[in-house]
């Protein structure tokens, strides 16, 4: 019995090393451990053995060794198969184009850049200014003392420390005059905030672009020339505008420059509050108090300023009926500007 078991062991080792796949291993298992396999045959032979206990232990050890060896060989084959799969899989290639959608510039960015280009070509510099300002910058330096009724038109959001979110880009006028002195040609676009209810042409967060030109002999004719040039360059066609008197404490005289509503052609719609016109770019000759506060010699210099409603300009230029669409974050709406 002992010799037969040794013979089976060495036969198993040879066959195991020759087995190259799962099927061969299964055939080996059946040959040794199956109902009619070698182990079963040895068990039957126990009848004729004297020391049954010792022989039984040898048979059992053989059975356990065969089971363990087959299980180990199966595991080695399983891992090798995974390895092969991993090695043959397509490798990650960082140079391949991803499937993500390309983004686009926001229409307000597009409009801002276009207006900036126009003013750069006319010798203006571009300035950046804070969104959080103080009362002096936003109101007092602009000839709007505390308790002036003009403050009612521009309620905003106040911080605990008394600072506020700027209501208009005019809040930078004083700092820019102090920075450059006269003569001066500058534009300064920026985000503005107002605590007011929204509708198709009013947002609580919107963009303006302020412009200032200060030099000797600057008059209303210069102001009108620059406004006309800017509008004809932006729209690249004739757009109807009207100039009417307007009151702002920081200009004298002051004007409202309205654009004929490009959405309804002037017939009246929600985008223009049914008036056919949209207030776009108030402007005027800078008030001497404001110039003086900015350190400018009012005997020598005069200047004009304007506050272009950039978000409204983008509405009119791109035919956006509701100003709130700009801040909606809707990719469907924004994707239309990809090709621009
Ligand atoms: C001003 O803010 C003045 N600082 C403009 C100015 C500058 C006048 C320099 C004279 C000299 P007003 O509040 O009208 O003015 O706003 C200017 C423009 O910003 C408006 O004509 C409009 O186009 C835009 N605007 C104002 N409020 C809103 C709002 N809630 N939503 C969208 N656009 C607005």
């Amino acid at each position: 019995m002992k010799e037969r078991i040794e013979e089976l062991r060495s036969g198993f080792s040879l066959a195991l090393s020759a087995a190259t796949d799962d099927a061969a291993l299964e055939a080996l298992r059946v040959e040794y451990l199956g109902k009619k396999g070698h182990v079963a045959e040895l068990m039957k032979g126990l009848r004729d053995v004297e020391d049954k206990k010792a022989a039984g232990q040898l048979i059992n050890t053989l059975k356990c060794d065969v089971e363990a060896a087959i299980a180990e060989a199966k595991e080695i084959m399983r891992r090798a198969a995974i390895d092969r799969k991993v090695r043959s899989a397509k490798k990650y290639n960082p140079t391949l184009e991803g499937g993500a959608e390309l983004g686009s510039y926001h229409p307000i960015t597009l409009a801002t850049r276009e207006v900036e280009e126009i003013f750069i070509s006319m010798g203006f510099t571009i300035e950046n200014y804070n969104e959080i300002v103080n009362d002096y910058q936003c109101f007092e330096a602009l000839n709007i003392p505390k308790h002036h009724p003009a403050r009612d038109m521009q309620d905003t959001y106040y911080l605990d420390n008394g600072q506020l979110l700027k209501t208009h880009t005019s809040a930078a006028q004083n700092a820019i005059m102090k920075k450059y002195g006269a003569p001066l040609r500058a534009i300064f676009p920026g985000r503005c905030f107002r605590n007011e209810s929204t509708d198709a042409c009013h947002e609580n967060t919107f963009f303006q672009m302020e412009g200032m030109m200060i030099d000797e002999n600057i008059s209303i004719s210069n102001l009108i020339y620059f406004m006309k040039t800017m509008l004809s360059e932006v729209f690249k066609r004739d757009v109807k505008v009207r100039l009417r008197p307007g009151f702002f404490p920081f200009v004298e005289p002051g004007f409202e420059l309205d654009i004929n509503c490009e959405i309804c052609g002037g017939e009246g719609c929600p985008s223009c509050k049914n008036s056919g016109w949209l207030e776009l770019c108030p402007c005027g000759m800078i008030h001497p108090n404001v110039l003086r506060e900015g350190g400018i010699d009012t005997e020598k210099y005069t200047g004009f300023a304007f506050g272009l409603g950039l978000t409204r300009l983008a509405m009119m230029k791109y035919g956006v009926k509701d100003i709130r669409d700009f801040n909606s974050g809707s990719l469907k709406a924004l994707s239309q500007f990809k090709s621009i």
Side-chain angles (χ1 to χ4, degrees):
M1 170 72 73
K2 212 174 170 185
E3 281 133 38
R4 175 65 184 142
I5 289 176
E6 282 312 311
E7 201 182 300
L8 284 172
R9 265 192 190 282
S10 56
F12 175 77
S13 292
L14 278 177
L16 186 66
S17 54
T20 51
D21 56 21
D22 259 2
L25 284 180
E26 181 57 14
L28 203 55
R29 190 192 66 77
V30 173
E31 186 186 337
Y32 278 77
L33 306 173
K35 271 187 189 164
K36 293 179 184 165
H38 298 305
V39 171
E41 189 189 301
L42 289 171
M43 294 297 278
K44 267 188 211 161
L46 267 181
R47 283 183 292 231
D48 311 323
V49 177
E50 226 173 83
D51 189 353
K52 290 191 174 43
K53 193 177 169 196
Q57 274 173 353
L58 286 176
I59 297 170
N60 204 35
T61 310
L62 173 71
K63 182 181 169 243
C64 291
D65 290 350
V66 168
E67 273 173 355
I70 289 178
E72 189 186 341
K74 274 194 174 170
E75 180 59 18
I76 290 170
M77 280 185 192
R78 190 183 68 83
R79 290 199 185 155
I82 294 174
D83 259 13
R84 276 195 304 277
K85 226 177 185 174
V86 169
R87 261 182 263 119
S88 66
K90 276 191 187 162
K91 295 272 184 313
Y92 165 66
N93 182 348
T95 65
L96 282 181
E97 244 182 56
E101 283 274 310
L102 283 181
S104 58
Y105 285 116
H106 194 281
I108 293 172
T109 305
L110 294 170
T112 308
R113 290 189 176 171
E114 199 168 343
V115 181
E116 282 176 357
E117 289 296 317
I118 296 164
F119 279 100
I120 287 171
S121 74
M122 296 192 288
F124 283 68
T125 55
I126 304 175
E127 280 293 313
N128 208 348
Y129 203 66
N130 307 341
E131 288 175 359
I132 298 175
V133 296
N134 59 34
D135 191 86
Y136 172 78
Q137 294 160 325
C138 203
F139 300 118
E140 283 184 47
L142 292 165
N143 207 24
I144 312 176
K146 290 204 167 52
H147 313 299
H148 191 292
R151 290 193 179 214
D152 290 351
M153 310 292 291
Q154 299 194 6
D155 187 18
T156 183
Y157 305 92
Y158 287 82
L159 279 66
D160 288 343
N161 64 6
Q163 288 185 304
L164 49 117
L165 301 188
K166 74 169 184 249
T167 56
H168 53 175
T169 42
S170 305
Q173 281 194 11
N174 183 267
I176 285 166
M177 282 188 281
K178 284 177 177 160
K179 182 173 174 189
Y180 290 105
L184 162 69
R185 287 182 189 204
I187 51 168
F188 25 110
R191 200 194 303 265
C192 304
F193 308 84
R194 293 201 192 169
N195 181 16
E196 57 186 33
S197 32
T198 62
D199 59 31
C201 57
H202 289 86
E203 254 292 12
N204 49 30
T205 305
F206 57 96
F207 284 82
Q208 287 185 347
M209 183 186 282
E210 193 88 357
M212 285 178 99
M213 183 172 180
I214 301 172
D215 211 330
E216 291 176 39
N217 303 318
I218 296 291
S219 69
I220 294 174
S221 326
N222 300 102
L223 168 62
I224 293 172
Y225 167 80
F226 279 100
M227 293 298 94
K228 269 189 172 171
T229 310
M230 185 260 295
L231 289 172
S232 62
E233 293 278 327
V234 169
F235 287 95
K236 304 210 165 50
R237 62 192 143 89
D238 268 349
V239 283
K240 248 172 124 181
V241 291
R242 72 177 184 192
L243 200 63
R244 60 191 168 92
F247 174 71
F248 303 90
F250 35 97
V251 285
E252 179 58 40
F255 305 97
E256 285 283 3
L257 190 149
D258 305 332
I259 185 168
N260 195 237
C261 180
E262 292 283 300
I263 306 291
C264 61
E267 291 193 350
C269 67
S271 307
C272 57
K273 279 193 159 174
N274 292 312
S275 72
W277 296 92
L278 207 63
E279 285 175 11
L280 182 68
C281 187
C283 49
M285 300 304 293
I286 305 172
H287 196 288
N289 288 350
V290 175
L291 287 173
R292 264 193 296 274
E293 196 66 31
I296 306 287
D297 178 357
T298 49
E299 294 296 317
K300 191 168 174 195
Y301 295 108
T302 49
F304 69 75
F306 62 86
L308 171 66
L310 263 181
T311 312
R312 286 207 187 150
L313 180 85
M315 270 178 89
M316 295 294 105
K317 183 170 166 65
Y318 300 120
V320 177
K321 289 186 185 149
D322 195 313
I323 198 166
R324 292 166 290 197
D325 286 346
F326 288 124
N327 287 350
S328 69
S330 156
L331 291 181
K332 199 171 159 204
L334 295 176
S335 65
Q336 298 168 56
F337 295 91
K338 268 186 190 168
S339 53
I340 299 177

